[in-house]
Amino acid sequence: MLQTTRTFGGMVSAPHHLAAQAGLRVLRDGGNAIEATVAAAATITVVYPHMNALGGDSFCLIHFPGGHVKAIDACGAAASVADFDFYRAKGCKEIPPRGPLSALTVAGAVSGWDSALQASKSIGGRMPLERLFEDAIYYAERGMSVTRNLAANAASKSHELEDISGFGQVYLPGGVPIAEASQLKQPRLAATLRRLASAGLGDFYRGELARSIAADLARAGSPVSAMDLFHHEALEVEPLSLAVAGHKLYNMPPPTQGLASLILLGVYERLGIDTAETAEFVHGLVEATKRAFRIRDAHVTDPEYMQTDPESFLSGAKLDSIAAEVDPTRASPWANTADAGDTVWLGVIDGEGLAVSFIQSIYWEFGSGLILDETGIAWQNRGTSFSLDPANSNFLAPGRRPFHTIQPAIAHLADGRVMAYGTMGGDGQPQTQAMIFARHVLHGQDLQSAVSAPRWLLGRTWGDTTTSLRIEDRFDPAAVRTLEKLGHPVQRVGSFDEITGHAGAIVRHKDGLIEGAADPRSDGAALGF
């Protein structure tokens, strides 16, 4: 089992070790946590391309020494022509899950990097993009070793994506999926990163690169245009926050499911559970999850379309009433479908106490599957979370921002520590965040143990007609039998199963000690100096 990493200089946790190394190099060279995050974020688009890309979205929480938390929302909106009539004219009864018609939202991730670096400059950050992109360009140009995770995803998704423009050229060399330990080179992506480093990140939306991107999208059949790119910008928003057991938790507001993450822990606190790794522990978090998700599904969407203030669900009285619904002796019914998603979470804390919790995604594995001819950029399919049903709360409309499962977390702990944590995994994100926080902060587990410990996922298994509680087979068999007696339909999965996400966490103590953890389910590392 991995051990918690400890240092005083600075630390990076990422789900691929090369991304963690890229961030650590920046810290060693005198860069701050924001600059290290951007270096790691750029590198991981190259070395973990099935999980994220330049053509995805990102969200970021930044804790500044002194306690202020800034939130950056880099979510791209639906194209100006993307509406019900557009898809009806294409013969679609629903938005296609893959291909160019699923690539219907602007990619916001690069604008999120830009916004974060502006915040870095305000506190003295001066490291140039050419330096921050060094590792990303190196691995795109010189090649990197294909991980087992990437190879497995290329093989399992090839039948869905082999006919989509650009996918086969990169991931199906010679007509077969790339193999583990083979070398993957991405020269077009290297050239794109060099262009961004020299011209600036705004070139992605309003420069020569933007024109190239728009032309490739149009040729492929995506509705995203040059004007859609031109009008995009990242937003600085007020984070949601909640006090839990004397600690202050921060998460992203809508259109993300950050609200569900906070409701989940607010309800769990009120259940009075004092021990982890028991059936009571799992039952409490699962029942809190069900109630948080029902609120999320009924209300969370683009905030411009919301009828209810998300803060209203975080009042003490509201959380008390939700917690009162939980029956400690019986599982409540659950028939909601699961929302799958693949994402990367990165955390960085530097020696000055600047902390970043960052997440970026292309939604499903490889996103839309579309890889642009000129730039090598893979484009997300986040817009498939929209509905073509006018009665749906997430109905597609031009310029509307899609519902997002991805949301990073930061916590100010009662004893003065600062914790940055998060995970990939669609509906699993609030659940895994809650497990890590509850285990480490509320129940006193070592940080790495809290990340490595057996996890579960509430949701529908692909192809199943009934819902289940999927739980890793390392969990105490007696506790699992108790969960079944409570009425939970339990399905045992692998010991370190990828369906439970790739998580990570970093904690800084008041004396400057920094602890970090990376998930053994990923190809990542927590590295410090």
Side-chain angles (χ1 to χ4, degrees):
M1 186 68 68
L2 297 172
Q3 298 295 314
T4 297
T5 304
R6 294 180 172 87
T7 186
F8 283 91
M11 188 168 293
V12 183
S13 179
H16 194 289
H17 63 97
L18 294 179
Q21 289 176 21
L24 186 66
R25 286 188 61 230
V26 168
L27 292 180
R28 284 185 177 276
D29 289 352
N32 64 37
I34 296 172
E35 293 168 325
T37 297
V38 171
T43 301
I44 208 163
T45 64
V46 175
V47 300
Y48 236 37
H50 54 307
M51 296 286 184
N52 72 133
L54 294 179
D57 285 343
S58 69
F59 295 91
C60 183
L61 291 176
I62 304 171
H63 156 89
F64 294 89
H68 174 64
V69 176
K70 177 194 289 284
I72 298 172
D73 173 337
C75 166
S80 58
V81 300
D83 59 12
F84 177 85
D85 291 334
F86 173 85
Y87 283 95
R88 183 173 61 181
K90 300 287 185 183
C92 302
K93 294 182 178 179
E94 58 184 24
I95 298 169
R98 301 286 199 177
L101 291 179
S102 72
L104 72 143
T105 60
V106 172
V110 172
S111 72
W113 301 354
D114 198 18
S115 182
L117 288 174
Q118 294 307 311
S120 171
K121 289 178 182 177
S122 73
I123 56 172
R126 293 293 181 267
M127 196 165 280
L129 283 170
E130 288 86 350
R131 170 62 190 83
L132 299 182
F133 285 1
E134 271 184 9
D135 289 53
I137 292 169
Y138 178 87
Y139 293 117
E141 202 163 57
R142 299 284 295 273
M144 58 91 179
S145 176
V146 173
T147 64
R148 179 179 302 177
N149 192 288
L150 172 54
N153 276 278
S156 66
K157 304 301 176 185
S158 61
H159 66 287
E160 298 176 34
L161 304 173
E162 60 188 354
D163 295 328
I164 297 173
S165 177
F167 182 84
Q169 181 181 350
V170 177
Y171 297 112
L172 304 174
V176 297
I178 51 174
E180 181 183 356
S182 63
Q183 187 179 44
L184 175 63
K185 294 183 179 182
Q186 301 170 79
R188 292 173 299 166
L189 191 55
T192 297
L193 288 163
R194 287 189 186 280
R195 170 74 193 181
L196 286 171
S198 62
L201 298 180
D203 200 57
F204 191 97
Y205 302 97
R206 287 169 281 278
E208 287 298 323
L209 184 58
R211 284 185 277 277
S212 171
I213 291 169
D216 268 351
L217 287 168
R219 279 191 291 271
S222 164
V224 177
S225 70
M227 287 304 295
D228 295 321
L229 293 169
F230 182 86
H231 289 297
H232 171 81
E233 60 181 20
L235 304 175
E236 183 178 327
V237 296
E238 188 67 25
L240 293 177
S241 63
L242 178 69
V244 173
H247 314 288
K248 189 73 170 291
L249 280 62
Y250 295 88
N251 215 301
M252 293 298 302
T256 81
Q257 64 174 338
L259 175 63
S261 290
L262 295 179
I263 293 172
L264 199 171
L265 279 166
V267 170
Y268 176 77
E269 176 199 8
R270 286 160 169 78
L271 301 181
I273 298 165
D274 57 11
T275 307
E277 314 317 321
T278 63
E280 182 185 31
F281 172 68
V282 179
H283 177 74
L285 282 172
V286 169
E287 292 304 300
T289 298
K290 292 174 182 178
R291 285 151 182 84
F293 281 3
R294 288 190 184 107
I295 291 171
R296 177 201 68 182
D297 294 347
H299 298 281
V300 174
T301 185
D302 183 334
E304 294 295 322
Y305 290 78
M306 287 182 65
Q307 304 299 312
T308 307
D309 181 357
E311 296 277 2
S312 66
F313 297 105
L314 299 176
S315 70
K318 181 63 175 178
L319 293 171
D320 287 345
S321 68
I322 298 171
E325 299 172 1
V326 175
D327 185 341
T329 67
R330 185 174 60 187
S332 60
W334 186 249
N336 295 44
T337 57
D339 188 359
D342 280 292
T343 303
V344 295
W345 175 86
L346 309 169
V348 184
I349 299 182
D350 63 29
E352 301 302 314
L354 183 67
V356 182
S357 186
F358 176 89
I359 200 160
Q360 63 186 16
S361 173
I362 49 175
Y363 199 28
W364 292 9
E365 303 94 335
F366 303 104
S368 67
L370 176 64
I371 299 178
L372 305 186
D373 289 339
E374 293 184 8
T375 60
I377 296 172
W379 212 263
Q380 65 185 353
N381 64 338
R382 179 62 63 174
T384 60
S385 65
F386 284 120
S387 172
L388 296 182
D389 178 1
N392 189 287
S393 62
N394 202 34
F395 179 64
L396 175 64
R400 185 171 185 171
R401 296 191 296 152
F403 166 74
H404 259 279
T405 52
I406 67 174
Q407 22 90 40
I410 275 182
H412 291 165
L413 305 185
D415 59 6
R417 290 177 293 160
V418 175
M419 179 176 180
Y421 61 109
T423 182
M424 56 80 89
D427 274 358
Q429 289 186 42
Q431 299 178 64
T432 296
Q433 283 186 13
M435 289 177 227
I436 292 171
F437 183 86
R439 281 169 162 151
H440 180 61
V441 179
L442 303 182
H443 301 306
Q445 286 188 9
D446 172 83
L447 188 63
Q448 183 62 60
S449 297
V451 171
S452 300
R455 295 207 289 261
W456 61 87
L457 176 66
L458 174 69
R460 191 185 301 277
T461 304
W462 293 114
D464 281 359
T465 56
T466 60
T467 56
S468 63
L469 179 64
R470 287 168 283 177
I471 190 164
E472 290 181 332
D473 61 15
R474 293 177 292 131
F475 211 88
D476 178 12
V480 172
R481 288 193 294 271
T482 300
L483 289 168
E484 290 173 329
K485 290 177 182 177
L486 290 171
H488 295 283
V490 175
Q491 177 185 344
R492 292 167 179 82
V493 296
S495 297
F496 291 92
D497 203 299
E498 188 182 8
I499 66 166
T500 64
H502 297 169
I506 306 179
V507 175
R508 186 179 190 270
H509 295 246
K510 288 180 69 175
D511 65 359
L513 176 69
I514 305 172
E515 299 181 289
D519 202 322
R521 302 164 184 84
S522 74
D523 298 300
L527 303 177
F529 77 101

